[in-house]
Amino acid sequence: MSDQPATPVASDFMTTHVEVVTPDMHLSDVIHFLLKHHVSNAPVVELKDGKKILQGFITEHDCLCALSDEVFFGFPSPPQTARTIMTAHPICITPHTELFSIVSVFNSHKLRHLPVVENGHLLGIVSRHDILKEMDEYYKKNLHHQDHERMLRDTSQTLNLRFTIDRDHE
């Protein structure tokens, strides 16, 4: 059997320019931010010593729920902010997480984006689009060179990710 090709890791294809919001942004400002930047979600970060420290993750769904509650039930006191509606301690990956492990996390948790974090610092983000593109490139580049040999892998690490996630900042 031929040698297995090197499997890409998150740092090979993550987006490093990430639009972020701060925990104290009001709900209306978060909604405006998402619409302005044409993004469906954003990491919530605090800047500390020039580094983005991940506090949570906020989505269009979070905003829609909070906004509809506000409109239906009246304005809450205190007003809603990114901190009050975000998902704290989101599922994260590291820059060294390999492609098939990331696919497993996406498939198991039905996520659209994953923050890439190291020591609590936000380094980037990986989307389902990024993963689909990378898997397609991996398939085109590597599988046709194997003369249809079946690749055998140690799947224990990848399969374990379906049930446990290392949350870097907990």
Coordinates of all heavy atoms in Angstrom, one line a residue, residues 121-154:
H121 N -6.9 32.5 22.2 CA -6.9 33.6 21.2 C -7.5 33.1 19.9 O -7.1 32.0 19.3 CB -5.4 33.9 20.9 CG -4.7 34.4 22.2 ND1 -3.3 34.1 22.4 CD2 -5.1 35.0 23.2 CE1 -3.0 34.6 23.5 NE2 -4.0 35.1 24.1
L122 N -8.4 33.9 19.3 CA -9.0 33.7 18.1 C -8.0 33.9 16.9 O -7.5 35.0 16.8 CB -10.2 34.6 17.9 CG -10.9 34.4 16.5 CD1 -11.7 33.0 16.5 CD2 -11.9 35.5 16.3
L123 N -7.7 32.9 16.2 CA -6.8 33.0 15.0 C -7.5 33.0 13.7 O -6.9 33.5 12.7 CB -5.8 31.8 15.1 CG -5.0 31.6 16.3 CD1 -4.2 30.3 16.2 CD2 -4.1 32.8 16.6
G124 N -8.7 32.4 13.6 CA -9.4 32.4 12.4 C -10.7 31.7 12.5 O -11.2 31.4 13.6
I125 N -11.3 31.3 11.4 CA -12.5 30.7 11.3 C -12.5 29.7 10.1 O -11.9 30.0 9.1 CB -13.7 31.7 11.3 CG1 -15.0 31.0 11.7 CG2 -13.8 32.4 9.9 CD1 -16.1 32.0 12.0
V126 N -13.2 28.6 10.3 CA -13.4 27.6 9.2 C -14.9 27.5 8.9 O -15.7 27.3 9.9 CB -12.8 26.3 9.5 CG1 -13.1 25.2 8.5 CG2 -11.3 26.4 9.7
S127 N -15.3 27.6 7.7 CA -16.7 27.4 7.3 C -17.0 26.1 6.7 O -16.0 25.4 6.2 CB -17.1 28.6 6.4 OG -16.5 28.4 5.1
R128 N -18.2 25.7 6.5 CA -18.6 24.5 5.8 C -18.1 24.6 4.3 O -17.6 23.7 3.7 CB -20.1 24.2 5.8 CG -20.6 23.6 7.1 CD -22.0 23.1 7.0 NE -22.9 24.1 6.4 CZ -24.2 24.2 6.7 NH1 -24.7 23.2 7.4 NH2 -24.9 25.1 6.2
H129 N -18.2 25.8 3.8 CA -17.7 26.1 2.4 C -16.2 25.8 2.3 O -15.8 25.1 1.4 CB -18.0 27.6 2.0 CG -17.6 27.9 0.7 ND1 -18.3 27.7 -0.4 CD2 -16.4 28.5 0.3 CE1 -17.6 28.1 -1.5 NE2 -16.5 28.6 -1.1
D130 N -15.4 26.3 3.3 CA -14.0 26.0 3.3 C -13.7 24.5 3.3 O -12.8 24.0 2.6 CB -13.3 26.6 4.5 CG -13.4 28.1 4.6 OD1 -13.5 28.8 3.5 OD2 -13.4 28.7 5.7
I131 N -14.5 23.8 4.2 CA -14.3 22.4 4.3 C -14.7 21.6 3.0 O -13.9 20.7 2.6 CB -15.1 21.8 5.5 CG1 -14.5 22.3 6.8 CG2 -15.2 20.3 5.5 CD1 -13.1 21.8 7.1
L132 N -15.8 22.0 2.4 CA -16.2 21.3 1.2 C -15.2 21.5 0.1 O -14.8 20.6 -0.6 CB -17.6 21.9 0.8 CG -18.2 21.2 -0.5 CD1 -18.4 19.7 -0.3 CD2 -19.5 21.9 -0.8
K133 N -14.7 22.8 0.0 CA -13.6 23.1 -1.0 C -12.4 22.3 -0.7 O -11.8 21.7 -1.7 CB -13.3 24.6 -1.0 CG -12.3 25.0 -2.0 CD -12.1 26.5 -1.9 CE -10.9 26.9 -2.8 NZ -10.6 28.4 -2.6
E134 N -11.9 22.2 0.5 CA -10.7 21.5 0.9 C -10.8 20.0 0.7 O -9.9 19.4 0.2 CB -10.3 21.8 2.3 CG -8.9 21.4 2.7 CD -7.8 22.1 1.9 OE1 -8.0 23.3 1.5 OE2 -6.7 21.6 1.7
M135 N -12.0 19.5 1.0 CA -12.2 18.0 0.8 C -12.2 17.7 -0.7 O -11.7 16.7 -1.1 CB -13.6 17.6 1.4 CG -13.5 17.4 2.9 SD -12.5 16.1 3.5 CE -13.4 14.7 2.8
D136 N -12.8 18.6 -1.5 CA -12.8 18.4 -2.9 C -11.4 18.4 -3.5 O -11.0 17.5 -4.3 CB -13.7 19.4 -3.6 CG -13.9 19.2 -5.1 OD1 -14.2 18.0 -5.5 OD2 -13.6 20.1 -5.9
E137 N -10.6 19.4 -3.1 CA -9.2 19.4 -3.5 C -8.4 18.2 -3.1 O -7.6 17.7 -3.8 CB -8.6 20.7 -3.0 CG -9.1 22.0 -3.7 CD -8.5 23.3 -3.2 OE1 -7.5 23.2 -2.5 OE2 -9.1 24.3 -3.4
Y138 N -8.6 17.8 -1.8 CA -7.9 16.6 -1.3 C -8.3 15.4 -2.1 O -7.4 14.6 -2.5 CB -8.3 16.4 0.2 CG -7.6 15.3 0.9 CD1 -6.3 15.5 1.4 CD2 -8.1 14.0 1.0 CE1 -5.6 14.5 2.0 CE2 -7.5 13.0 1.6 CZ -6.2 13.2 2.1 OH -5.5 12.2 2.7
Y139 N -9.6 15.3 -2.4 CA -10.1 14.1 -3.2 C -9.4 14.1 -4.6 O -8.9 13.1 -5.0 CB -11.6 14.2 -3.3 CG -12.2 13.1 -4.1 CD1 -12.3 11.8 -3.6 CD2 -12.6 13.3 -5.4 CE1 -12.9 10.8 -4.4 CE2 -13.2 12.4 -6.2 CZ -13.3 11.1 -5.7 OH -13.9 10.1 -6.4
K140 N -9.5 15.2 -5.2 CA -8.9 15.3 -6.6 C -7.4 15.1 -6.6 O -6.9 14.4 -7.5 CB -9.2 16.7 -7.2 CG -10.7 16.9 -7.6 CD -10.9 18.3 -8.1 CE -12.3 18.6 -8.3 NZ -12.5 20.1 -8.6
K141 N -6.7 15.6 -5.6 CA -5.3 15.5 -5.6 C -4.8 14.2 -5.2 O -3.7 13.7 -5.7 CB -4.7 16.6 -4.7 CG -3.2 16.7 -4.7 CD -2.6 17.8 -3.9 CE -3.4 18.3 -2.8 NZ -2.7 19.3 -2.0
N142 N -5.4 13.5 -4.3 CA -4.8 12.3 -3.6 C -5.5 11.0 -4.0 O -4.8 10.0 -4.2 CB -4.9 12.5 -2.1 CG -4.0 13.7 -1.7 OD1 -2.8 13.7 -2.0 ND2 -4.6 14.6 -1.0
L143 N -6.8 11.0 -4.1 CA -7.4 9.7 -4.3 C -7.1 9.0 -5.6 O -7.0 7.8 -5.7 CB -8.9 9.7 -4.0 CG -9.2 10.0 -2.5 CD1 -10.7 10.0 -2.3 CD2 -8.5 9.1 -1.6
H144 N -7.0 9.8 -6.7 CA -6.8 9.2 -8.0 C -5.4 8.7 -8.1 O -5.1 7.9 -9.0 CB -7.2 10.2 -9.1 CG -6.2 11.3 -9.3 ND1 -6.3 12.4 -8.5 CD2 -5.2 11.5 -10.1 CE1 -5.3 13.3 -8.8 NE2 -4.7 12.7 -9.8
H145 N -4.5 9.1 -7.2 CA -3.1 8.6 -7.3 C -2.9 7.3 -6.6 O -1.8 6.7 -6.6 CB -2.1 9.6 -6.7 CG -2.0 10.9 -7.5 ND1 -1.5 10.9 -8.8 CD2 -2.3 12.1 -7.2 CE1 -1.5 12.1 -9.3 NE2 -2.0 12.9 -8.3
Q146 N -3.9 6.8 -6.0 CA -3.7 5.6 -5.1 C -4.1 4.3 -5.8 O -4.2 3.2 -5.2 CB -4.6 5.7 -3.9 CG -4.1 6.8 -3.0 CD -4.9 7.0 -1.8 OE1 -5.6 6.1 -1.4 NE2 -4.8 8.1 -1.1
D147 N -4.3 4.3 -7.1 CA -4.6 3.1 -7.9 C -5.7 2.3 -7.2 O -5.7 1.1 -7.2 CB -3.4 2.2 -8.1 CG -2.3 2.9 -8.9 OD1 -2.7 3.7 -9.8 OD2 -1.1 2.7 -8.6
H148 N -6.7 3.1 -6.7 CA -7.9 2.5 -6.1 C -7.6 1.6 -4.9 O -8.4 0.8 -4.5 CB -8.7 1.7 -7.2 CG -9.1 2.6 -8.3 ND1 -10.0 3.6 -8.3 CD2 -8.6 2.6 -9.6 CE1 -10.1 4.2 -9.5 NE2 -9.2 3.6 -10.3
E149 N -6.4 1.8 -4.3 CA -6.2 1.1 -3.0 C -7.0 1.8 -1.9 O -7.2 3.0 -1.9 CB -4.7 1.2 -2.6 CG -3.8 0.4 -3.5 CD -2.3 0.6 -3.0 OE1 -2.1 0.8 -1.8 OE2 -1.5 0.4 -3.8
R150 N -7.5 1.0 -1.0 CA -8.2 1.5 0.1 C -7.3 2.1 1.1 O -6.3 1.4 1.5 CB -9.1 0.4 0.7 CG -9.9 0.9 1.9 CD -11.0 -0.1 2.2 NE -11.7 0.2 3.4 CZ -12.7 1.1 3.5 NH1 -13.1 1.7 2.4 NH2 -13.3 1.3 4.6
M151 N -7.5 3.3 1.5 CA -6.6 3.9 2.6 C -7.1 3.5 3.9 O -8.3 3.6 4.2 CB -6.7 5.4 2.5 CG -5.9 6.0 1.3 SD -6.0 7.8 1.2 CE -5.9 8.3 2.9
L152 N -6.3 2.9 4.7 CA -6.6 2.5 6.1 C -6.1 3.6 7.0 O -4.9 3.9 6.9 CB -6.1 1.2 6.4 CG -6.6 0.0 5.5 CD1 -6.0 -1.3 5.8 CD2 -8.1 -0.1 5.7
R153 N -6.9 4.1 7.9 CA -6.5 5.1 8.8 C -6.8 4.7 10.2 O -7.7 4.0 10.5 CB -7.3 6.4 8.6 CG -7.3 6.9 7.2 CD -8.2 8.2 7.2 NE -7.9 8.9 6.0 CZ -7.0 9.8 5.8 NH1 -6.2 10.2 6.8 NH2 -6.8 10.4 4.7
D154 N -6.1 5.3 11.1 CA -6.4 5.2 12.5 C -7.5 6.2 12.7 O -7.3 7.4 12.8 CB -5.2 5.6 13.4 CG -5.6 5.6 14.9 OD1 -6.7 5.1 15.2 OD2 -4.8 6.0 15.7

